[in-house]
Amino acid sequence: MTQNSQGFTVICDMFDGLTIDTNDQPFNIEESLEQRLADAIPKWKQEGIRGLWMKIHLPHSSAVPVCSKLGFDFNHAQSGYVMMTKWLPDNEENKLPEYANQYLGVAGFVLNEEGELLVIRERYSVIRSKPWKLPGGLADKGEDLAETSRREVLEETGIQAEFVSVLGFRHQHNFRFGCSDWYFVCLMKAVTTEIKHCPQEIAECKWISVDEYIADPNLTAANRFFAECYLNHQKNGNRTISPSLVDSWNKKFKNNIYSIQPVPKDFLQSGAH
């Protein structure tokens, strides 16, 4: 809810916090922010306000040292703005949530009608031997696993593929910038087979038997494990991890909930098994 508070236009939240957006203020940020903020903070504290969120847009970057001087700290930055926060209670631990701290990567375990696996060799790799791996990349905002897997496979290899299920996933910590990383491997069925790899990202791309892929001495332990999961899956059962659309808590949209379900019959009946 937007309202006026101590001369500021603010957004109130259910946790007794206030968000102050520099774009919404009825005064000149460069001329009067420091004094106005210095006067307002003790009054907000007396009123029981617990947390302050200051969204500083690029044209108002002069507000960053002002807020730092008044005890604000950085929470996160995105293109066009930086968010700074200040916790007000003296007798309570800071409960303001930190910014997103997890990456979400998605790869396609793509099989053609002959049961061959689609693999790539990256043009740039942190591993000197540049081992064969699965096509994939980071999910975009608002993108489901299935959508990411289709997009990444197409962008890197030129292959159109259908999402079947989640084959498995890895969770590792202390990844890029100290964040954790989720890596989902999606079982997929190739719709096309002619490879047209992206030369900017991919050095090589080919179809290979799963057994030959597993036997590659340069293969990473994680990718070998995922390939072995696929072989065990085919040998020992027809259950997999697949999404179902379920209403959100407010019934305004639907979310994907992943659970153990039967493998789609058309996948079992194809040559990709």
Side-chain angles (χ1 to χ4, degrees):
M1 180 177 64
T2 302
Q3 65 179 46
N4 294 320
S5 178
Q6 306 300 334
F8 288 82
T9 299
V10 301
I11 299 175
C12 306
D13 61 44
M14 68 177 72
F15 305 105
D16 295 323
L18 300 179
T19 297
I20 306 161
D21 189 316
T22 58
N23 276 348
D24 298 335
Q25 302 315 306
F27 54 84
N28 189 298
I29 294 294
E30 286 73 19
E31 293 179 0
S32 59
L33 176 65
E34 183 171 356
Q35 189 58 55
R36 287 173 178 269
L37 204 52
D39 292 340
I41 288 173
K43 295 176 182 178
W44 280 327
K45 191 172 181 179
Q46 290 177 355
E47 293 172 0
I49 299 301
R50 301 168 74 223
L52 300 177
W53 298 81
M54 177 68 74
K55 186 174 185 178
I56 303 170
H57 294 271
L58 192 59
H60 309 130
S61 57
S62 62
V64 172
V66 170
C67 291
S68 177
K69 180 180 178 181
L70 294 173
F72 284 76
D73 198 357
F74 296 109
N75 180 268
H76 69 274
Q78 293 285 294
S79 178
Y81 79 88
V82 62
M83 185 73 79
M84 301 185 74
T85 62
K86 181 177 176 64
W87 181 249
L88 298 185
D90 296 321
N91 57 351
E92 189 179 351
E93 180 185 354
N94 188 339
K95 299 294 179 66
L96 295 177
E98 64 173 308
Y99 194 56
N101 54 26
Q102 309 275 328
Y103 284 93
L104 198 157
V106 184
F109 197 92
V110 184
L111 298 159
N112 61 20
E113 291 291 336
E114 285 71 43
E116 295 173 318
L117 178 65
L118 181 64
V119 294
I120 63 166
R121 199 190 300 274
E122 292 180 322
R123 182 176 179 185
Y124 306 102
S125 176
V126 295
I127 305 175
R128 183 171 297 179
S129 63
K130 294 185 178 180
W132 291 103
K133 57 176 292 188
L134 305 173
L138 292 177
D140 291 337
K141 290 180 180 179
E143 195 174 52
D144 286 328
L145 298 179
E147 186 179 354
T148 303
S149 62
R150 285 191 293 265
R151 175 180 57 77
E152 285 289 343
V153 168
L154 181 61
E155 289 176 357
E156 292 189 352
T157 71
I159 297 295
Q160 296 183 25
E162 295 178 349
F163 172 87
V164 177
S165 70
V166 173
L167 181 61
F169 60 90
R170 180 210 64 206
H171 194 201
Q172 74 173 10
H173 306 289
N174 297 317
F175 184 56
R176 192 174 298 136
F177 306 118
C179 292
S180 296
D181 176 58
W182 292 90
Y183 179 67
F184 287 82
V185 175
C186 298
L187 186 60
M188 304 184 75
K189 179 180 177 181
V191 176
T192 62
T193 57
E194 183 181 357
I195 294 173
K196 297 178 181 178
H197 73 269
C198 172
Q200 287 76 32
E201 294 185 52
I202 309 301
E204 298 178 76
C205 183
K206 67 178 181 179
W207 295 102
I208 187 174
S209 75
V210 177
D211 289 335
E212 184 181 353
Y213 180 64
I214 290 176
D216 185 346
N218 293 319
L219 193 63
T220 64
N223 279 335
R224 179 173 288 107
F225 185 87
F226 284 123
E228 290 172 344
C229 284
Y230 167 72
L231 293 181
N232 290 335
H233 169 270
Q234 296 302 303
K235 179 180 178 181
N236 298 320
N238 62 348
R239 310 294 288 182
T240 189
I241 305 171
S242 298
S244 298
L245 282 174
V246 179
D247 284 336
S248 63
W249 65 273
N250 58 9
K251 297 186 178 180
K252 290 185 177 180
F253 53 90
K254 292 183 181 294
N255 294 314
N256 273 322
I257 294 183
Y258 290 80
S259 62
I260 298 174
Q261 299 180 31
V263 176
K265 292 182 178 179
D266 60 346
F267 182 76
L268 290 173
Q269 292 169 354
S270 73
H273 67 277

